[in-house]
């Protein structure tokens, strides 16, 4: 397949949008829509203001696919948010839901979910300390509900298994694009986080044999790497407003950051 015939995917994550004005500003930084075929939003699109996801997608004429990040669920119920987005007709990727996109006669399958974490990326010995540190310092466990329950450590691991078992059903399926919020490979980890007690909360270490492409977010560290199983992992996170110095290019309004974010990040697949 020649480069000109490949599917072009515009990827963003961790935009953390708080109001319509911020959505409108973000939209001005995007590339012209004739330069890509579909857009993917790999979670943390908002800070618990899920109506803004609907507003954002309504401004795009190209097909858009998304997963929710932990911040999208803040002060909300996971089940209610998922229902709201699906009822609004948005292409939400979650356990039990996938989409097919036909590009020049080739069918691509998009599948994914928040994926959460197993707390096992640094091994079983680090799991207990990571769980304790996450519960004490991460807001997820104190402001997110799932059904009638608060999101607990055990429930997060359960949701991780549900999402991963769903994704695994698409192993070795050609032209499959996996979208998660929590990354699924240590290859996507920034060097500065190695050995950090919270690392197992932020990233998973999955065997990705049989997959070709994962698009993720969550870490606020951009990357585009191939793991030891031959699978490509791409993260393109905007991050918080004051977290990284941004460089604006006045000619095309593109924005880049020292975290390797670029508002015109297009992946060919």
């Amino acid at each position: 397949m020649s480069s000109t015939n490949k599917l072009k995917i515009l990827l963003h994550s961790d935009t953390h949008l708080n109001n319509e004005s911020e959505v409108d500003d973000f939209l001005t930084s995007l590339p012209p829509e004739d330069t890509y075929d579909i857009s993917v939003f790999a979670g943390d699109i908002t800070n618990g203001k899920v109506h803004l996801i609907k507003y954002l997608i309504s401004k795009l004429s190209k097909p858009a696919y998304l997963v929710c990040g932990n911040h999208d669920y803040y002060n909300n119920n996971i089940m209610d948010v998922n229902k709201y987005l699906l009822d609004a007709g948005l292409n939400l990727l979650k356990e039990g839901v996938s989409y097919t996109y036909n590009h020049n006669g080739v069918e691509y399958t998009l599948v994914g979910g928040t994926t959460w974490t197993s707390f096992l990326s640094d091994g079983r010995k680090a799991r207990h300390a990571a769980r304790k540190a996450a519960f004490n310092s991460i807001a997820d466990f104190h402001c997110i509900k799932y059904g009638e329950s608060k999101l607990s450590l055990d429930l997060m691991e359960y949701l991780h298994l549900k999402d991963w078992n769903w994704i695994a059903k698409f192993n070795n399926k050609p032209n499959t694009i996996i979208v998660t919020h929590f990354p699924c490979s240590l290859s996507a980890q920034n060097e500065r986080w190695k050995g950090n007690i919270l690392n197992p909360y932020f990233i998973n270490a999955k065997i990705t044999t049989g997959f070709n492409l994962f698009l993720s977010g969550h870490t606020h560290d951009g990357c585009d790497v191939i793991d030891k199983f031959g699978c490509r992992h791409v993260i393109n996170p905007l991050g918080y407003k004051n977290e990284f110095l941004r460089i604006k290019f006045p000619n095309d309004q593109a924005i880049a950051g020292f975290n390797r974010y670029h508002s015109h990040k297009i992946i060919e697949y």
Side-chain angles (χ1 to χ4, degrees):
M1 186 186 298
S2 69
S3 176
T4 55
N5 288 327
K6 287 184 177 180
L7 179 67
K8 295 178 178 63
I9 307 163
L10 178 67
L11 173 65
H12 287 92
S13 73
D14 304 278
T15 49
H16 292 285
L17 301 167
N18 292 296
N19 52 59
E20 291 186 0
S21 177
E22 289 186 7
V23 174
D24 293 337
D25 286 345
F26 168 72
L27 289 167
T28 65
S29 73
L30 300 184
E33 289 199 329
D34 60 2
T35 61
Y36 63 93
D37 301 302
I38 64 172
S39 58
V40 165
F41 294 90
D44 280 5
I45 303 166
T46 72
N47 291 310
K49 299 178 179 180
V50 291
H51 67 282
L52 293 177
I53 300 177
K54 183 178 176 182
Y55 177 74
L56 168 64
I57 302 303
S58 74
K59 299 292 184 178
L60 303 172
S61 61
K62 293 290 184 73
Y65 303 86
L66 65 110
V67 296
C68 283
N70 52 312
H71 277 258
D72 295 307
Y73 293 125
Y74 274 15
N75 300 313
N76 285 303
N77 188 306
I78 291 172
M79 297 174 73
D80 291 344
V81 169
N82 291 348
K83 184 177 186 303
Y84 170 83
L85 295 173
L86 289 171
D87 286 350
L90 303 190
N91 296 325
L92 173 68
L93 295 161
K94 60 179 288 292
E95 183 260 336
V97 179
S98 64
Y99 299 93
T100 300
Y101 179 78
N102 189 297
H103 176 68
N104 293 336
V106 177
E107 286 200 340
Y108 291 83
T109 300
L110 292 101
V111 63
T114 306
T115 311
W116 303 100
T117 181
S118 65
F119 292 100
L120 288 171
S121 60
D122 285 351
R124 292 193 176 277
K125 288 184 178 180
R127 175 176 173 267
H128 177 73
R131 279 167 53 101
K132 183 178 180 180
F135 187 81
N136 289 334
S137 60
I138 302 295
D140 300 7
F141 307 102
H142 312 287
C143 67
I144 299 175
K145 291 185 70 176
Y146 182 78
E148 297 301 315
S149 304
K150 269 192 175 179
L151 182 63
S152 65
L153 293 163
D154 290 343
L155 185 51
M156 182 176 282
E157 291 185 354
Y158 167 74
L159 293 174
H160 165 78
L161 286 173
K162 279 188 69 177
D163 282 351
W164 184 254
N165 288 339
W166 167 245
I167 290 168
K169 294 178 184 292
F170 295 81
N171 187 264
N172 287 310
K173 183 178 175 65
N175 304 315
T176 298
I177 301 162
I178 309 297
V179 185
T180 69
H181 182 59
F182 286 63
C184 291
S185 173
L186 286 174
S187 298
Q189 174 185 254
N190 189 287
E191 288 288 324
R192 74 181 187 279
W193 297 118
K194 284 189 176 180
N196 187 290
I197 193 172
L198 278 171
N199 190 55
Y201 161 77
F202 281 101
I203 200 163
N204 291 292
K206 312 302 288 189
I207 296 172
T208 57
T209 304
F211 295 107
N212 294 317
L213 180 63
F214 275 74
L215 307 177
S216 305
H218 193 49
T219 63
H220 291 203
D221 291 303
C223 74
D224 191 339
V225 297
I226 306 293
D227 69 17
K228 63 184 179 181
F229 305 106
C231 181
R232 184 181 179 188
H233 298 265
V234 188
I235 303 175
N236 188 43
L238 177 60
Y240 300 124
K241 271 189 175 180
N242 300 318
E243 190 171 11
F244 299 99
L245 179 64
R246 286 170 175 71
I247 307 163
K248 195 157 190 173
F249 301 95
N251 291 337
D252 57 11
Q253 296 300 305
I255 296 174
F258 285 129
N259 62 332
R260 298 188 64 187
Y261 170 78
H262 200 292
S263 60
H264 289 200
K265 179 69 174 179
I266 295 173
I267 299 127
E268 292 192 354
Y269 181 49

